[in-house]
């Protein structure tokens, strides 16, 4: 069975690239730009990994990560935050498992995803 990944980013170009790359790497991917119901989407989709953009137009990926990590069903799900602002924020304080700096290398994305999935076994 394919590993399931939920991706949240409000930049449609990035969302499309990440979706295509992860699908090509044989993951089942659910991509969304809507942060308002992301916890409910995660509850229903039950991903093996969640990737969140940090700076969203209507929300904050760090705070979403905090909600996920305190959720009774989702707290063990690895979360990767990606952001262009990696030198300004301590992302690990939100409880994420990894951080990817934007712009990112696709090999780095795949390596980080695989590492987080291995650690969650």
């Amino acid at each position: 069975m394919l590993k399931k990944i939920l991706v949240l980013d409000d930049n449609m170009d990035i969302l499309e690239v990440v979706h295509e790359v992860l699908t090509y790497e044989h993951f089942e991917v659910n991509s969304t730009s809507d942060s308002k119901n992301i916890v409910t989407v995660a509850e229903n989709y039950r991903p093996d990994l969640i990737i969140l953009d940090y700076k969203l137009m209507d929300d904050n990926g760090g705070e979403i990560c905090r909600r996920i990590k305190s959720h009774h069903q989702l707290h063990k799900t690895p979360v990767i935050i990606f952001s262009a602002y990696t030198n300004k924020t301590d992302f690990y304080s939100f409880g994420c498992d990894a951080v990817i700096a934007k712009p990112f290398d696709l090999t780095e994305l795949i390596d980080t995803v695989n590492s987080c999935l291995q650690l969650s076994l």
Side-chain angles (χ1 to χ4, degrees):
M1 186 158 70
L2 299 177
K3 294 285 187 181
K4 294 166 42 171
I5 300 176
L6 176 60
V7 182
L8 169 65
D9 198 314
D10 56 5
N11 181 318
M12 294 309 290
D13 292 333
I14 292 174
L15 198 60
E16 286 179 28
V17 168
V18 170
H19 186 99
E20 289 300 317
V21 167
L22 293 175
T23 301
Y24 179 80
E25 292 292 325
H26 306 290
F27 294 105
E28 180 183 319
V29 184
N30 182 349
S31 299
T32 184
S33 61
D34 181 14
S35 64
K36 294 199 185 309
N37 298 314
I38 193 67
V39 174
T40 302
V41 170
E43 286 173 335
N44 294 327
Y45 185 59
R46 298 197 167 250
D48 297 293
L49 176 80
I50 300 171
I51 301 174
L52 304 170
D53 184 25
Y54 177 69
K55 194 161 186 147
L56 301 160
M57 287 193 329
D58 58 355
D59 216 331
N60 176 294
E63 293 306 319
I64 294 171
C65 180
R66 225 180 237 138
R67 290 197 307 263
I68 289 167
K69 290 299 188 171
S70 65
H71 190 280
H72 68 284
Q73 287 180 331
L74 303 170
H75 69 279
K76 291 184 179 179
T77 306
V79 176
I80 298 171
I81 293 178
F82 49 48
S83 176
Y85 308 96
T86 56
N87 60 348
K88 298 179 181 180
T89 304
D90 176 14
F91 295 102
Y92 292 101
S93 68
F94 297 110
C96 69
D97 298 272
V99 177
I100 298 175
K102 286 183 180 179
F104 53 89
D105 178 81
L106 296 179
T107 302
E108 176 190 10
L109 172 67
I110 297 305
D111 289 347
T112 304
V113 165
N114 286 325
S115 293
C116 285
L117 288 170
Q118 287 295 326
L119 291 173
S120 70
L121 294 178

